[in-house]
Each structure stands twice: as C-alpha cells, then as structure tokens.
C-alpha cells in the first residue's frame, strides 16, 4: 500500500543524501503507477497530491496527468480541488490531453457551488487553449455579470486569457468589460484593469 502524503514528506525530509531521496521517490512512483494501472479510485486524490509534491521536487510526474482529469470529473469538491490543482501544475496548454477537460470545465462553470465554479475559472485563466477559449468564453462571460464578486474577479482573469488566445473575440465582450470598470469591489476592479489592458493590447482603438 502506498504512503500518505505526510508520510512521504517525512521520509523525503529524513533522507541524508540525494541518492536516498531518489530511492524513496522511485519506490513511491512505482506504487502510484501500480495504483493507476489497477484503477484504485479510493486513493486517486492522495496519489495526485503526492505527484504534486514530487513535481515540486523536480521529479517526472507526467504519468499522472489522466488521473487529474478523472478527479476533475468527480462530483466531490475535495477531489475536484486536487484535480484542478494537478491540471494547472502538471499540464501545459501544448498537451492534447487537456482537451478532455473541456466538458468538465463547462459543467463546473454552471455549478451552483461558487468554489467549484471558481476552480474552473482559475484553470481557464491558466491553461485555456485557443479551442477551449472559443468553447468556454460564453460560459465565462456569464460570470462577468455574476452577483458574487468572488466569481466576477476570477471571470475577468479567465476572460483575459481567452481574449489573449482568441483576439478576434474582443468585439463580442468589450462592452461588458467597460461596464465592469464601475464595479464597487476593489478585488474585481484590479482584475478588470488587467482584462482592459489585454483588450487594449489587442486593439488600441478602444482607448478612445
């Protein structure tokens, strides 16, 4: 049975040489690979958390990318949280596997739980590809007028990413952006400035 995250951290900290550390990580990586191969769902979130720790130490963790996708598709928030964090750290926009998350992102953007919707918006703001941006921009747009400032500010950053990837969409959303400059939330205003800056980088005509 694989270790708990805290036990793995203790073992790594107890290592006196780099060789000892590599041996601990190699052994645990093998256990995680076995768990993935055997579809051990109960330990999936724990294994991804350990992969994030290994990633921070500089060890290869690419074999856990699909596990992140499976956690994102889970209906439970704790698993989604680890899954989205794993996506943002272990994947890049160049990897085709990222497209598998589009439907999960769309579903979570429509979630009644603001924290789940916030996770989806944060992921879009970090990882959205041009194709994902086109597919998800309408859902992100809905949150620009959300009554909750927590979601509005995350939506601004997500939309900035979408427009950076698909500059031709700027005309569809520029009026909404201008309206947000009157927002009463300082947190939202800070992110709106970043979004407006992105709009102006795309087309300086909007300065007028």
């Amino acid at each position: 049975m694989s270790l708990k995250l805290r036990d793995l951290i203790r073992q790594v900290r107890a290592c006196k040489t780099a060789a000892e550390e590599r041996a601990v990580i190699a052994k645990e990586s093998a256990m995680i690979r076995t768990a993935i191969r055997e579809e051990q769902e109960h330990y999936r979130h724990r294994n991804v958390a350990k992969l994030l720790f290994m990633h921070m130490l500089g060890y290869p963790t690419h074999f856990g990318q699909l596990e992140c996708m499976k956690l994102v598709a889970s209906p439970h928030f704790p698993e989604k949280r680890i899954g989205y964090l794993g996506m943002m750290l272990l994947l890049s926009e160049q990897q085709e596997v990222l497209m598998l998350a589009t439907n999960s992102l769309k579903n979570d953007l429509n979630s009644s739980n603001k924290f789940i919707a916030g996770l989806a918006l944060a992921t879009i703001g970090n990882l959205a590809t041009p194709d994902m941006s086109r597919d998800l921009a309408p859902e992100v747009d809905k949150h620009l007028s959300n009554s909750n400032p927590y979601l509005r500010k995350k939506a601004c950053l997500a939309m900035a990413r979408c427009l950076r990837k698909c500059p031709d969409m700027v005309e569809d959303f520029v009026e909404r952006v201008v309206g947000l400059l009157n927002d009463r939330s300082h947190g939202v205003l800070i992110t709106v400035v970043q979004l407006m800056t992105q709009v102006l980088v795309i087309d300086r005509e909007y300065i007028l």
Side-chain angles (χ1 to χ4, degrees), residues 170-182:
V170 70
E171 292 181 8
D172 300 328
F173 303 106
V174 69
E175 289 185 11
R176 192 100 68 258
V177 175
V178 173
L180 283 167
L181 290 171
N182 297 318

Side-chain angles (χ1 to χ4, degrees), residues 165-195:
K165 293 300 173 181
C166 299
D168 57 299
M169 296 195 303
V170 70
E171 292 181 8
D172 300 328
F173 303 106
V174 69
E175 289 185 11
R176 192 100 68 258
V177 175
V178 173
L180 283 167
L181 290 171
N182 297 318
D183 202 287
R184 293 187 177 185
S185 167
H186 287 179
V188 175
L189 285 174
I190 291 171
T191 57
V192 171
V193 169
Q194 185 170 338
L195 176 53

